[in-house]
Amino acid sequence: MRIQCDYCGQYIRDTDAVCPHCGAPNDGMMRSAAGVPKTIGELQEFCRAHNLPLAQMRFFLGQDIPDARAFGIFRDDDGNFVVYKNKSDGSRAVRYRGGDEAYAVNEIFQKMKEEIIKQRQRKASSSGGTTRSRRASRSRRGVSGQLVWILVICYFIAMLFLFVAGRLGKTHNGYYNYNGNTYYSQSDTWYQYDNSLLDWYPVTVDEELQENASDYYAGSNYSSSYNAGDFSDSEYYQESAQDSSWSDDWDDSDWDWDSSDSWDSGSTDWDSDW
């Protein structure tokens, strides 16, 4: 959850120990939420109970893995708990290092939840479905061949429409690189990052960017290569309806993973710090 810093008024995460904008301590920092495992051992047992494919997910609990593309948590020789992410190039970004095990476990736990949500969204999108989970899905075994062809034709018509719409300048939520600056489009409202103020602000963009947005699209996930701050940390960020539909009513059963389901770790944003 995002809260306001008591000192500078900027929006920060409730799990931030200090404000990333002014450096002031976050007196309201959430160490761990109810129902969240408090130890690495409890988290390991939680994952086993919910059949989570940790190896395919690239999550390593209690292990210091040097390989690229990995999330992990372990206790080092000094007794500190380390939460880390190894990026695509093999470099490591440390999310947390300290003596608070419950806080460290909560950090990796929330990241696991975020990745599961993304996987379920990807599956729903690739199948053309709009259901929230497999509990709401319907069996397709009885669908006739004729209906299958109708669905295939409708799919390609929809893809053609989306392509044409994109070429006509329809923007997608995400980052854009234009004339040496970084922009973010959210619900067709544009924001530009100011490197001197280290913050985002709303702008009216050039007609070229507005009409040919797809030519400058960088991606929906944050990357440090954009030379800008993470838009989700700004006061203007609004969680999308798709995201909120998966997170607002999340319950324990949503952690359950069907062993027949594949996990695409290649869809994870491995280039960002977290």
Side-chain angles (χ1 to χ4, degrees):
M1 185 176 72
R2 295 169 67 247
I3 60 176
Q4 281 186 292
C5 172
D6 293 333
Y7 297 85
C8 70
Q10 294 289 328
Y11 283 89
I12 62 177
R13 293 187 176 93
D14 57 5
T15 54
D16 287 333
V18 298
C19 174
H21 304 287
C22 69
N26 176 16
D27 296 331
M29 181 178 66
M30 182 185 71
R31 308 305 294 183
S32 182
V36 176
K38 303 297 191 297
T39 68
I40 294 176
E42 289 180 4
L43 181 57
Q44 291 171 330
E45 179 58 35
F46 179 91
C47 293
R48 282 192 292 268
H50 291 281
N51 201 35
L52 295 180
L54 295 179
Q56 289 78 18
M57 293 168 63
R58 304 293 297 165
F59 276 79
F60 299 91
L61 309 181
Q63 302 178 65
D64 180 8
I65 298 293
D67 300 341
R69 298 193 170 196
F71 294 101
I73 180 174
F74 68 96
R75 191 170 190 175
D76 65 16
D77 295 336
D78 296 328
N80 289 317
F81 295 94
V82 180
V83 180
Y84 65 89
K85 174 185 180 181
N86 295 342
K87 298 190 278 189
S88 294
D89 61 3
S91 62
R92 170 167 292 186
V94 175
R95 176 71 173 182
Y96 173 76
R97 183 191 298 274
D100 192 331
E101 184 174 12
Y103 178 75
V105 169
N106 183 62
E107 287 292 285
I108 197 78
F109 182 84
Q110 297 300 333
K111 189 62 179 179
M112 291 173 65
K113 176 179 176 180
E114 177 185 321
E115 291 298 315
I116 290 174
I117 290 174
K118 289 179 180 178
Q119 288 288 321
R120 295 203 191 283
Q121 290 173 345
R122 180 184 63 81
K123 290 177 183 298
S125 176
S126 63
S127 66
T130 57
T131 55
R132 182 175 177 272
S133 72
R134 65 180 179 279
R135 290 176 301 168
S137 65
R138 297 179 179 177
S139 172
R140 295 186 175 89
R141 285 177 290 184
V143 177
S144 67
Q146 182 179 7
L147 181 56
V148 169
W149 277 110
I150 293 175
L151 292 174
V152 170
I153 293 172
C154 290
Y155 172 79
F156 281 105
I157 292 175
M159 291 300 99
L160 178 61
F161 173 79
L162 291 175
F163 174 79
V164 173
R167 298 308 299 175
L168 290 177
K170 180 175 176 59
T171 62
H172 303 280
N173 286 4
Y175 296 88
Y176 294 78
N177 293 323
Y178 175 70
N179 275 356
N181 295 311
T182 302
Y183 296 85
Y184 191 93
S185 176
Q186 177 179 249
S187 302
D188 291 326
T189 299
W190 287 93
Y191 302 86
Q192 182 177 345
Y193 189 74
D194 189 317
N195 284 288
S196 61
L197 298 176
L198 301 180
D199 203 0
W200 294 89
Y201 61 96
V203 295
T204 300
V205 299
D206 292 348
E207 187 174 313
E208 165 65 18
L209 176 56
Q210 183 70 52
E211 295 185 355
N212 301 287
S214 59
D215 293 337
Y216 304 98
Y217 184 64
S220 60
N221 295 320
Y222 173 73
S223 170
S224 57
S225 65
Y226 296 155
N227 193 30
D230 189 338
F231 186 77
S232 65
D233 290 335
S234 77
E235 62 180 299
Y236 302 106
Y237 177 73
Q238 296 176 350
E239 194 175 62
S240 69
Q242 184 184 36
D243 291 342
S244 62
S245 68
W246 286 79
S247 58
D248 289 348
D249 56 349
W250 182 276
D251 57 40
D252 187 68
S253 65
D254 288 306
W255 285 96
D256 295 334
W257 194 260
D258 190 334
S259 59
S260 64
D261 289 343
S262 62
W263 184 283
D264 180 15
S265 63
S267 64
T268 298
D269 179 12
W270 292 109
D271 294 323
S272 64
D273 287 341
W274 186 248

